[in-house]
């Protein structure tokens, strides 16, 4: 792995984490003083950004420092579980905001013009910042494949579009505030934001739940492994099965083989290296390991 690109990825996520933390106080103040539900809906989104970036930064830093190696799927499971909890809390908060928006539809309330104007400016700046991180992190993800960065730039894209939606709603209210029906603009856009966020995050939540379940490989991937085993059919003496496990974006594969004692170490090593590299090439994001089973065990009766 290119350590320089890994450092750039880690640095980009860390900078965004710091900016999200600094945005907390102004975000809370503007939402409270303006009385805007649209700005209020940005509060849980801000906390979601902080939690997501903490997890992403921790993973990227661990990879760069070489702390994630071998079959460390326990760490991946922990990251997925933490992400799932964050997603659930975020969606529950959005439902709460949707409830307030419906109440505001029935009982409209006025907003503070000055703080709403300031909030609109901040949302436009947020759109520019998130748009910049969107393009930057997408470029970094393409330089060196990283499931974390792939997720990151897609989240940045959603955050940029959400900020643009908030900005549009606030500007629309400022322009049309003299009209009686303008009081419905803010709760309407708040509901629109909630729907957009829930639709965006529900597939992610479902995927995270699935990742927590121990799953074997799909048939298509299993066939790829079988084809590699067939290619090396004469290079090993017995086959004892394949074990696989998925953790986050990584797939761990164990192939148990036996080799006759008379085979040379050089020959066995060449077979193991070729089989391992072939499986990892055929199954993206996989880590293959060849497990040696003594030939004597191959002759034992199975239960």
């Amino acid at each position: 792995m290119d350590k320089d690109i890994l450092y750039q990825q880690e640095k980009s996520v860390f900078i965004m984490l710091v900016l999200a933390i600094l945005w907390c106080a102004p975000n809370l103040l503007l939402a409270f003083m303006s009385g805007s539900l649209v700005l209020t809906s940005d509060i849980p989104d801000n906390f979601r950004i902080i939690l997501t970036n903490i997890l992403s930064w921790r993973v990227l830093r661990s990879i760069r420092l070489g702390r994630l190696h071998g079959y460390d799927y326990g760490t991946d499971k922990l990251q997925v579980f933490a992400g799932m909890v964050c997603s659930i809390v975020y969606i529950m908060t959005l439902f709460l905001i949707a409830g307030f928006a419906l109440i505001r539809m029935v009982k409209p309330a006025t907003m503070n013009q000055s703080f709403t104007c300031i909030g609109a400016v901040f949302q436009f700046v947020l759109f520019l910042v998130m748009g910049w991180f969107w393009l930057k992190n997408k470029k970094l993800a393409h330089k060196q494949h990283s499931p974390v960065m792939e997720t990151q730039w897609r989240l940045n894209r959603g955050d940029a579009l959400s900020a643009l939606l908030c900005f549009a709603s606030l500007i629309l209210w400022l322009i049309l505030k003299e009209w009686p029906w303008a009081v419905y603009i803010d709760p309407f856009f708040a509901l629109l934001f909630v729907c957009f966020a829930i639709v965006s995050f529900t597939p992610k939540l479902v995927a995270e739940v699935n990742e927590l379940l121990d799953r074997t490989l799909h048939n298509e991937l299993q066939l790829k492994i079988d084809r590699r085993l067939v290619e090396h059919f004469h290079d090993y003496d017995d086959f004892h099965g394949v074990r696989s496990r998925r953790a986050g974006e990584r797939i761990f594969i164990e192939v148990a083989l036996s080799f006759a004692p008379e085979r040379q170490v050089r020959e066995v090593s060449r077979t193991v290296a070729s089989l391992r590299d072939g499986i990892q090439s055929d199954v993206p994001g996989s880590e293959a390991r060849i497990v040696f089973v003594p030939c004597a065990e191959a002759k034992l009766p199975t239960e």
Side-chain angles (χ1 to χ4, degrees):
M1 288 188 178
D2 192 323
K3 289 294 183 68
D4 183 58
I5 295 178
L6 286 175
Y7 176 73
Q8 291 179 38
Q9 292 177 343
E10 178 191 336
K11 181 180 177 182
S12 177
V13 173
F14 182 74
I15 291 174
M16 191 158 56
L17 171 61
V18 173
L19 292 176
I21 293 173
L22 294 176
W23 171 235
C24 282
N27 194 9
L28 289 168
L29 179 63
L30 288 172
F32 177 75
M33 298 302 294
S34 67
S36 169
L37 282 175
V38 168
L39 291 177
T40 302
S41 64
D42 194 42
I43 295 175
D45 196 46
N46 187 35
F47 284 108
R48 189 265 307 165
I49 293 173
I50 292 174
L51 292 173
T52 301
N53 280 279
I54 287 175
L55 294 174
S56 299
W57 175 73
R58 183 177 180 277
V59 171
L60 290 171
R61 182 173 176 80
S62 297
I63 293 173
R64 183 176 64 85
L65 297 178
R67 294 173 183 169
L68 293 181
H69 52 79
Y71 272 48
D72 188 18
Y73 47 69
T75 303
D76 288 300
K77 290 287 186 183
L78 181 61
Q79 302 296 337
V80 173
F81 177 74
M84 184 191 71
V85 172
C86 293
S87 297
I88 291 174
V89 173
Y90 178 56
I91 291 176
M92 289 175 63
T93 309
L94 289 174
F95 275 116
L96 185 63
I97 292 174
F100 284 127
L102 292 173
I103 294 174
R104 188 72 69 85
M105 283 285 195
V106 179
K107 296 180 180 180
T110 57
M111 298 191 301
N112 183 284
Q113 180 177 343
S114 300
F115 282 99
T116 299
C117 185
I118 297 173
V121 173
F122 270 98
Q123 288 298 317
F124 184 72
V125 173
L126 187 63
F127 164 69
L128 295 178
V129 172
M130 286 301 177
W132 185 80
F133 275 107
W134 166 13
L135 298 177
K136 177 181 174 63
N137 289 335
K138 184 177 182 180
K139 184 178 179 181
L140 288 174
H142 289 170
K143 279 185 177 180
Q144 180 166 297
H145 175 70
S146 168
V148 173
M149 293 306 294
E150 286 291 334
T151 302
Q152 199 67 36
W153 75 259
R154 285 180 169 83
L155 290 175
N156 296 151
R157 178 180 60 186
D159 294 332
L161 296 176
S162 298
L164 184 61
L165 179 65
C166 292
F167 170 75
S169 69
L170 296 175
I171 288 296
L172 192 62
W173 180 84
L174 288 169
I175 294 174
L176 304 173
K177 64 181 183 299
E178 301 300 331
W179 292 84
W181 50 266
V183 293
Y184 299 105
I185 294 177
D186 185 66
F188 172 77
F189 272 90
L191 285 173
L192 195 63
F193 173 84
V194 168
C195 292
F196 171 77
I198 290 177
V199 169
S200 300
F201 266 80
T202 299
K204 179 177 181 293
L205 179 59
V206 172
E208 287 167 341
V209 172
N210 288 333
E211 292 296 346
L212 287 177
L213 303 176
D214 288 336
R215 295 176 296 166
T216 56
L217 294 178
H218 296 299
N219 291 334
E220 180 184 354
L221 299 182
Q222 187 71 53
L223 287 174
K224 291 180 179 179
I225 298 174
D226 291 342
R227 280 197 294 268
R228 289 292 178 179
L229 289 169
V230 170
E231 288 178 8
H232 295 274
F233 182 75
H234 298 290
D235 299 328
Y236 58 88
D237 293 276
D238 209 343
F239 169 67
H240 300 278
V242 176
R243 292 197 306 171
S244 63
R245 186 169 185 176
R246 186 186 298 272
E249 296 292 335
R250 292 194 293 170
I251 301 172
F252 301 95
I253 302 170
E254 280 188 359
V255 181
L257 300 175
S258 291
F259 295 89
E262 59 268 18
R263 287 186 183 271
Q264 296 183 353
V265 174
R266 180 188 304 173
E267 180 186 355
V268 173
S269 298
R270 187 164 51 245
T271 299
V272 169
S274 177
L275 185 58
R276 182 196 61 213
D277 294 343
I279 291 174
Q280 291 181 167
S281 174
D282 292 340
V283 184
S286 67
E287 181 177 333
R289 177 176 294 180
I290 309 302
V291 179
F292 293 98
V293 179
C295 284
E297 292 189 25
K299 298 178 182 179
L300 292 176
T302 57
E303 297 182 355

